[in-house]
Amino acid sequence: MRKILYGLIAAIAGISASDANTYFNQNAWGQGNFASQHASGNQNRASQQFVPGGWNNQQQRPAQQNPWAQPQQQQQRFGQQQPAQLQQQTENVTLDLHIGYEGAAFGFNMRQAHSELNFNDITWMKFGATGTYAFNVSGTNLEFKAGVELGVQNDGGKMTDDDMYKGGIYIGHAVFLNNGNVFQLPNGDFAEFPMTELMFGVGDQGNGSSMGFFASIGLGDGFRLGNSISLKPSVGYRFERQRFVGRDMLATSVQALVAATQTDWDNLLYVAEQCAGNPGCTIAIPYLDENNDLQFYFAGYVHGLRGIYNTNGDLVDVVPDLLTLSDAHELNGITHDYRVSWFGPFIAADLNFEHGRSSFNLRGEIGFPGYSAEADQPFRTDLAHPVSFRDRASMFSGMHYGLNMKYSHGVTDNMSLNIGWNWNYYTIRGADATTYYDPGSYAYQLFGPSQTLKNEINARYKTSGVRGGLSVKF
């Protein structure tokens, strides 16, 4: 029994010597293991029974069996593969397709002319696509986005052109005729006054259209707020263009004299006194015909003076009693054709919340656009065509506020369905307005081919609606 016990102890010792040789055969100094070199024969025989391939302790073992070197080699191989893995994780392309329905309104007013134009109850059917490219630069994840959207206008909507309550359309300087002769003031000057046509019209909207695109770059990961929430800032450029068409207008117009100064008012009272009871006193607008001969366009009658009384029957004032022309017009076809553009940089932030295959995105955007508009009013014979007006303001003159919400649910690992809501508001204050005149108009003789009013236009455009679509990740 004792011999058997000693034999087991010798066998265990041989295994221990073999294991020691395995771990310490090649040490840092390259001297091998002292115990394996001087072990007894019994230990050597015992170790040979447990070493693969029958190697003994005197043979040099392959370096790959060194358990200290093996993890180092694995770490090196992992380090070499890490950039490829990082690139695979951070580089991807996402394509979003959507269709939407929006309601919108556009309008502007003029500071000096006091004219106002409005397109109300616009309805758009929108089709759009947005591509997102996520990539890595020097360890920073970035995200590039670019999108385009097209819109067609549905039926419906009204347009109003208000040159009556807010101002008027200048049609020339009117003179007074006394039985066909130009009426003169005591100082020998002709009595003439600016004449305006006050008009108010309501029409339908034609088939408008819209187009827009944007491009932006921002942080891909953004700022993490826990495991599910992130905030991603970005900067970019946006261009939006809409065409608004008005047609089939019913309009009422009244021609009226404008007494801009006290002198004008005194002269008007003098003419009315002289014309009292004289049916031959008329108001007329002079113009040159195609032969360059002076002609007069009839604009109304002068009946003399008319008293204004208060509720007690007391005479308060005396004013000229002028009978000017008024008329109702039915304008068929296109009456207004406006092409409006908004363009400029923006800053934005996306707040994302993710839970499983579902995600929610809230995007806020502030832009600093410029503004341009090119318009034609075919029924205005005093204006040039096809360009009657051009309005312009440089970038950073206006403001754009945008808010978008989107909910997504993944149906596969690479595809999700989306539904959302968006709202946008554009405004500009003080755009320059240029009017182009027809060569045969009286305004052309006074101002030349065009006239520009600085800081004249205040414009606004707003839209909101719902949309749905799908996202595909490549």
Side-chain angles (χ1 to χ4, degrees), residues 208-283:
S209 59
S210 69
M211 184 273 290
F213 67 85
F214 79 96
S216 67
I217 189 168
L219 294 179
D221 294 331
F223 304 99
R224 303 296 303 186
L225 305 174
N227 296 327
S228 303
I229 302 176
S230 64
L231 181 65
K232 299 181 180 181
S234 61
V235 296
Y237 178 89
R238 183 178 294 277
F239 176 89
E240 298 283 342
R241 185 170 187 175
Q242 303 90 28
R243 182 189 180 195
F244 306 106
V245 179
R247 60 180 304 116
D248 302 335
M249 175 182 286
L250 295 176
T252 299
S253 64
V254 177
Q255 293 179 353
L257 293 177
V258 179
T261 65
Q262 183 63 44
T263 300
D264 289 341
W265 183 253
D266 293 340
N267 292 336
L268 194 59
L269 288 175
Y270 176 80
V271 173
E273 289 176 353
Q274 299 300 315
C275 287
N278 184 358
C281 283
T282 60
I283 306 170

Side-chain angles (χ1 to χ4, degrees), residues 175-227:
V175 298
F176 290 87
L177 299 180
N178 186 4
N179 297 320
N181 298 316
V182 179
F183 195 91
Q184 290 182 310
L185 299 171
N187 60 5
D189 295 336
F190 295 122
E192 61 174 0
F193 305 88
M195 175 162 275
T196 182
E197 184 175 18
L198 305 175
M199 188 187 76
F200 183 85
V202 178
D204 296 325
Q205 293 183 31
N207 295 324
S209 59
S210 69
M211 184 273 290
F213 67 85
F214 79 96
S216 67
I217 189 168
L219 294 179
D221 294 331
F223 304 99
R224 303 296 303 186
L225 305 174
N227 296 327

Side-chain angles (χ1 to χ4, degrees), residues 5-79:
L5 182 60
Y6 287 159
L8 290 175
I9 294 173
I12 294 173
I15 295 174
S16 301
S18 175
D19 291 342
N21 187 32
T22 301
Y23 284 97
F24 296 97
N25 186 36
Q26 298 294 331
N27 56 26
W29 295 273
Q31 296 174 351
N33 185 273
F34 179 83
S36 65
Q37 293 176 3
H38 299 280
S40 64
N42 291 333
Q43 290 175 334
N44 284 336
R45 286 193 297 269
S47 65
Q48 289 174 3
Q49 297 175 5
F50 295 94
V51 175
W55 287 326
N56 56 34
N57 292 338
Q58 305 301 322
Q59 295 174 332
Q60 185 177 3
R61 300 180 182 180
Q64 61 267 26
Q65 292 186 359
N66 188 336
W68 292 98
Q70 185 71 10
Q72 183 177 359
Q73 293 173 355
Q74 293 177 353
Q75 179 65 29
Q76 184 178 2
R77 288 196 300 270
F78 180 78

